[in-house]
Amino acid sequence: MNPLERYAPLVDDEAAFLEACERSLPSVVRVNTIKTTVERAREALDDEGVAYEPTDWHPGILKLENSSPGTNWPYFHGWLHGQEEVSALPAIALDPQPGERIWDTCAAPGSKTTQIAAMMDDEGVLIGNDNNLGRLSALRHNAERLGVTNLVVSNQDARNFSMKPFGERTPDKSGSFEQFDRVLVDAPCSCEGTCRKNPDVLDEWTMNHVASVAGIQKGILRRAVQVTKPGGTVVYSTCTFAPEENEAVLDFVLEREDCEIVAWDVPDGFETAPGITEWEDDEYDSSVTNARRVYPHQNDTGGFFTAKLEVNA
């Protein structure tokens, strides 16, 4: 059975959902505002004769009509970065501000990390962590190409992330810190929502993998809440449709950590659906409806899930 068929009860149009999942993804770039402006980037593409269409909901996200992201000089100069359209949502929900201390728990290869850096105006401290040492080279490369200077790269298991290195930066502890203002948990997952660019994920899908990765997700999200200051923000996101990896993870953490799921403003023009409170034999906290689900047929994107949590003061 196609694992996507198990989500038929969740979507408003099963046929449109399944059909969209079989189409290839549009080629999309994000304008890197550390190095340029949206207007200059568009002018550069116009001068190069690269056809593009701005998205309805974000002026800095452009759909390229007939070319791949890495084949034009604005890309080589770090003005543009290839990033799937829907994956821009977590940073928007996080709403990072210049000068803050932010942790990206699973940062490589760096699309969301560099988006966060740009939203911070490259000011403050951004910790880009990944437990896969091999993937960190991609994170470093993307950060350098895009001109990010406020990034500190770390290689830890996010479930047991230690704040000790940041509390002892200097002998007098100037510039040290023990909590973050905001944390992004873009968690490893079963990746069903990426089937438009990687159809193999459906052939490799198993319930055992879903159960296994859900345990990892719970550990990372709990640690994220624990190291975020009271009143701070944690964003949890995945590229899967599975409630076991989405609402169930949120429900688990709500019962064990002092936090709540809050509503967040999805940009106008981008269609989403609320989180669900029931799945098969399980029921979830009613606040999971503040999370947002994205299905491929809604905006011609990949699938995604994003929730915003606030740590209680």
Side-chain angles (χ1 to χ4, degrees):
M1 183 187 83
N2 181 344
L4 297 178
E5 294 176 2
R6 73 191 295 253
Y7 307 118
L10 303 182
V11 297
D12 56 354
D13 188 332
E14 180 183 2
F17 167 67
L18 293 175
E19 191 275 330
C21 288
E22 293 179 355
R23 295 197 305 266
S24 59
L25 273 175
S27 181
V28 176
V29 294
R30 170 177 55 83
V31 175
N32 174 31
T33 53
I34 292 176
K35 284 197 169 184
T36 190
T37 63
V38 172
E39 292 73 18
R40 288 182 69 194
R42 290 186 183 185
E43 290 173 2
L45 290 174
D46 290 337
D47 291 343
E48 288 285 293
V50 177
Y52 65 90
E53 178 184 356
T55 57
D56 295 334
W57 64 281
H58 193 301
I61 297 178
L62 314 174
K63 293 184 178 181
L64 304 184
E65 296 182 9
N66 300 304
S67 63
S68 61
T71 58
N72 54 73
W73 77 257
Y75 178 91
F76 288 117
H77 282 279
W79 288 20
L80 304 174
H81 181 69
Q83 180 172 348
E84 190 176 343
E85 181 178 351
V86 72
S87 75
L89 285 182
I92 292 172
L94 190 67
D95 192 26
Q97 301 298 312
E100 290 186 328
R101 294 159 175 166
I102 297 178
W103 177 31
D104 187 351
T105 63
C106 311
S111 291
K112 300 174 190 68
T113 315
T114 54
Q115 181 186 2
I116 291 169
M119 294 174 73
M120 296 172 72
D121 293 337
D122 201 29
E123 298 175 2
V125 178
L126 174 58
I127 309 297
N129 178 76
D130 206 280
N131 72 336
N132 187 325
L133 186 61
R135 286 165 54 89
L136 287 179
S137 60
L139 173 61
R140 292 191 184 98
H141 169 77
N142 284 322
E144 290 172 2
R145 186 178 64 83
L146 299 176
V148 175
T149 64
N150 70 337
L151 177 66
V152 178
V153 175
S154 68
N155 177 220
Q156 296 190 46
D157 184 334
R159 293 171 292 181
N160 305 303
F161 190 81
S162 173
M163 294 297 295
K164 187 175 181 180
F166 312 108
E168 300 178 352
R169 289 178 58 198
T170 58
D172 63 355
K173 291 200 172 186
S174 60
S176 65
F177 60 95
E178 297 179 351
Q179 291 181 307
F180 293 103
D181 297 295
R182 303 174 199 262
V183 177
L184 172 62
V185 179
D186 185 52
C189 67
S190 57
C191 299
E192 300 158 334
T194 68
C195 60
R196 296 183 65 179
K197 65 180 179 182
N198 183 18
D200 289 345
V201 299
L202 300 181
D203 297 330
E204 298 166 357
W205 185 94
T206 67
M207 272 305 303
N208 285 339
H209 182 231
V210 171
S212 174
V213 77
I216 297 171
Q217 294 159 348
K218 292 171 183 176
I220 297 174
L221 184 55
R222 287 194 68 181
R223 186 58 181 149
V225 173
Q226 292 165 1
V227 300
T228 300
K229 72 177 186 181
T233 297
V234 176
V235 168
Y236 178 74
S237 63
T238 73
C239 53
T240 184
F241 307 114
E244 296 90 346
E245 302 179 57
N246 294 327
E247 289 89 351
V249 172
L250 295 175
D251 187 77
F252 177 90
V253 173
L254 286 177
E255 292 181 352
R256 292 162 176 81
E257 302 295 340
D258 192 12
C259 61
E260 58 184 298
I261 304 170
V262 297
W264 58 283
D265 294 327
V266 179
D268 292 339
F270 197 89
E271 185 179 352
T272 65
I276 61 171
T277 57
E278 297 181 6
W279 175 249
E280 297 180 341
D281 297 327
D282 295 323
E283 295 184 2
Y284 310 123
D285 189 275
S286 61
S287 66
V288 300
T289 57
N290 286 325
R292 309 311 301 176
R293 287 178 156 267
V294 180
Y295 299 107
H297 65 291
Q298 293 175 306
N299 310 280
D300 194 22
T301 66
F304 223 77
F305 179 89
T306 304
K308 183 172 184 176
L309 295 83
E310 185 173 294
V311 178
N312 292 327

